[in-house]
């Protein structure tokens, strides 16, 4: 072999290594799994007296075992790609060895297992894998309530429904692995799609997306493979960071929905002076606060507030600002000047200052918080939609619609707005994280959600007084805020790339 040929082969092997989805996801999942293992090991020891928590240490050992298996899989994938150009069948067999890691709720090892098992995972298979992992993780965390003094009245019903949903989703995963690559799915897969959509009632949005995609593929008889929506979903499913962000958002939404059945609200709001500032344990996985309330339960219930306020305070300005921007960009001239100059006045007021002023005038409540954050964001979305509409209005199909005599309303909301909405979707995804931070910040200042309601900003405010002695009371809600904001940012970056027509 000549030097030139050897160099070219080495470059091709390096390119295969960098472009391999399995290699990247295995490494990413392995790093996260190792970090979680270290956290569990640290929490396995009582540092004040040097004793060990046996159950926590056992869980940490299980995580460590599967993390080591991930490391072996990572090295084998690297070797196969460098020497053989593809991942060998024996290496993919490690995926089946990693599957039991789902029983320990090690979702990162589970992600690597699903990725290894199927040679060319399509969007349907990836969504099916995340669907199963989400339900199992919600089930595992909800099961921790068994160690509490008492459980919710509907706890057993909720856990049974989660088990049934996990069974349906696991069967769906196996069927999609077998038939998902076909251009035309068997007709009976419609039953699977309907069953998946039914399981989405427990808050697992992955099941809803997956069921809808299956029905769309069945309806169009396999001709959706080239559609724009399928291309977007396929690109998004290939981004590990974007899918991880979407997973955390869906997981929080799912556990928030299931918390109505599997979590007891009284543990999050009732004072328990016999359990004040307890360290993390099986009974209280994240410890207790200065009133003896379960921090784990408070963070779970607080996720409801963060998600609801984040989504609604973004949805309202998207609708109002988008409508104003569309009208302004389409009609122009006096209409444009009137709308945009009014919004410029609103835009000149700092968003946080405006929110504080509205809350100070009308009182601190969840509804007032949503309205305050929404009003401040309207000008930004109006400007974005106006620019998109002005660009799309010049395109030929809009001129053709005018030539055929279509009304302004039809042209605007049937032809222009649908083709201008993609940047708005990306922008809203990226700014929901900002709404979550603003919600927590205002609550921390006492201007957001009512103090007695478990909300991440309220929890962080109480915990900040114990940073030196019981730091976990502030660290855990802070980490929850950081994780949710990062998840929306990851998802927004992935949507921006997936919706970019230049990447076709």
């Amino acid at each position: 072999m000549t030097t030139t040929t050897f160099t070219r082969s080495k470059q091709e092997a390096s390119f295969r290594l960098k472009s391999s989805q399995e290699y990247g996801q295995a490494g990413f999942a392995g790093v996260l799994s190792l970090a979680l293992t270290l956290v569990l090991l640290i929490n396995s020891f009582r540092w004040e007296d040097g004793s060990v928590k046996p159950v926590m240490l056992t869980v940490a050992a299980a995580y460590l075992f599967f993390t080591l298996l991930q490391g072996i899989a990572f090295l084998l994938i690297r070797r196969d790609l460098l020497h053989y150009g593809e991942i060998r069948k024996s290496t993919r067999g490690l995926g089946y060895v990693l599957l039991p890691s789902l029983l320990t709720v090690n979702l990162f090892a589970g992600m690597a297992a699903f990725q290894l098992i199927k040679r060319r995972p399509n969007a349907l298979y990836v969504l099916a894998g995340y669907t199963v992992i989400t339900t199992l993780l919600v089930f595992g965390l909800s099961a921790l309530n068994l160690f509490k003094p008492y459980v919710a009245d509907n706890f057993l019903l909720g856990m049974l429904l989660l088990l049934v949903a996990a069974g349906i989703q696991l069967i769906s995963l196996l069927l999609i692995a077998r038939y998902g690559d076909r251009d035309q799915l068997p007709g009976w897969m419609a039953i699977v799609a309907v069953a998946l959509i039914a399981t989405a009632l427990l808050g697992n949005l992955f099941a809803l997306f997956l069921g809808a995609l299956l029905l769309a593929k069945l309806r169009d008889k396999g001709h959706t493979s080239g559609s724009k929506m399928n291309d977007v979903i396929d690109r998004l499913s290939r981004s590990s960071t974007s899918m991880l962000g979407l997973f955390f958002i869906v997981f929080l939404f799912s556990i928030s929905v299931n918390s109505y059945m599997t979590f007891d609200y009284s543990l999050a709001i009732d004072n328990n002076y016999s359990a004040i500032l307890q360290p993390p344990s099986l009974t209280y996985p994240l410890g207790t606060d200065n009133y003896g309330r379960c921090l784990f339960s408070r963070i779970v219930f607080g996720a409801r507030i963060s998600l609801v306020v984040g989504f609604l305070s973004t949805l309202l300005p998207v609708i109002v600002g988008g409508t104003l921007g569309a009208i302004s960009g389409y009609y122009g001239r006096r209409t444009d000047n009137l709308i945009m100059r009014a919004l410029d006045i609103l835009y000149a007021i700092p968003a946080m200052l405006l929110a504080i002023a509205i809350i100070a005038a009308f009182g601190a409540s969840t509804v007032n918080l949503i309205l305050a954050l929404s009003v401040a964001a309207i000008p930004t979305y109006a400007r974005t939609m106006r620019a998109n509409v002005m660009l799309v209005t010049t395109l030929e199909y809009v001129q053709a619609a005018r030539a055929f005599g279509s009304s302004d309303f039809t042209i605007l909301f049937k032809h222009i707005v649908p083709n201008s909405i993609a940047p708005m979707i990306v922008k809203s995804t990226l700014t929901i994280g900002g709404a979550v931070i603003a919600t927590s910040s205002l609550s921390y200042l006492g201007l957001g959600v009512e103090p007695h309601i478990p909300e991440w900003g309220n929890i962080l405010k109480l915990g900040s007084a114990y940073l030196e002695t019981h730091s976990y009371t502030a660290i855990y809600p802070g980490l929850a805020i950081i994780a949710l904001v990062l998840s929306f940012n990851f998802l927004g970056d992935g949507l921006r790339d997936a919706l970019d027509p230049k990447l076709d």
Side-chain angles (χ1 to χ4, degrees), residues 404-470:
F404 278 108
S406 299
S407 64
D408 287 344
F409 182 86
T410 301
I411 294 173
L412 184 59
F413 291 100
K414 185 177 179 180
H415 300 290
I416 296 179
V417 171
N419 291 285
S420 306
I421 203 68
M424 294 284 284
I425 295 174
V426 175
K427 182 177 179 61
S428 62
T429 308
L430 289 170
T431 53
I432 287 177
V436 172
I437 292 177
T439 302
S440 300
S441 300
L442 290 170
S443 296
Y444 186 89
L445 296 173
L447 297 171
V449 180
E450 296 91 328
H452 67 277
I453 295 178
E455 190 274 333
W456 290 350
N458 290 335
I459 300 171
L460 186 61
K461 180 180 180 179
L462 291 175
S464 62
Y466 299 91
L467 276 174
E468 294 183 0
T469 56
H470 300 84

Side-chain angles (χ1 to χ4, degrees), residues 261-285:
M261 294 184 291
T262 57
F263 282 76
D264 195 294
Y265 192 62
S266 63
L267 289 170
I269 61 172
D270 291 346
N271 297 343
N272 181 9
Y273 297 110
S274 64
I276 291 177
L277 295 174
Q278 293 289 317
S281 61
L282 284 176
T283 306
Y284 303 107

Side-chain angles (χ1 to χ4, degrees), residues 248-270:
F248 187 73
I249 295 167
V250 173
F251 159 71
L252 273 186
F253 181 77
S254 182
I255 200 170
S256 297
V257 171
N258 285 277
S259 64
Y260 285 100
M261 294 184 291
T262 57
F263 282 76
D264 195 294
Y265 192 62
S266 63
L267 289 170
I269 61 172
D270 291 346

Side-chain angles (χ1 to χ4, degrees), residues 337-351 354 375-376 378-380 383:
N337 282 328
L338 180 63
I339 293 175
M340 295 313 297
R341 296 299 76 78
L343 292 178
D344 283 344
I345 296 173
L346 186 60
Y347 193 72
I349 305 174
L354 179 61
V375 170
I378 287 175
T380 303
R383 285 168 175 257

Side-chain angles (χ1 to χ4, degrees), residues 65-94:
F65 172 73
F66 287 113
T67 301
L68 291 175
L69 284 180
Q70 281 179 273
I72 294 172
F74 178 77
L75 294 175
L76 290 177
I77 291 172
R78 178 183 176 86
R79 182 204 63 184
D80 290 353
L81 291 174
L82 288 175
H83 292 88
Y84 306 104
E86 62 178 1
I87 301 175
R88 296 189 301 172
K89 189 175 181 180
S90 58
T91 302
R92 292 192 179 276
L94 274 175

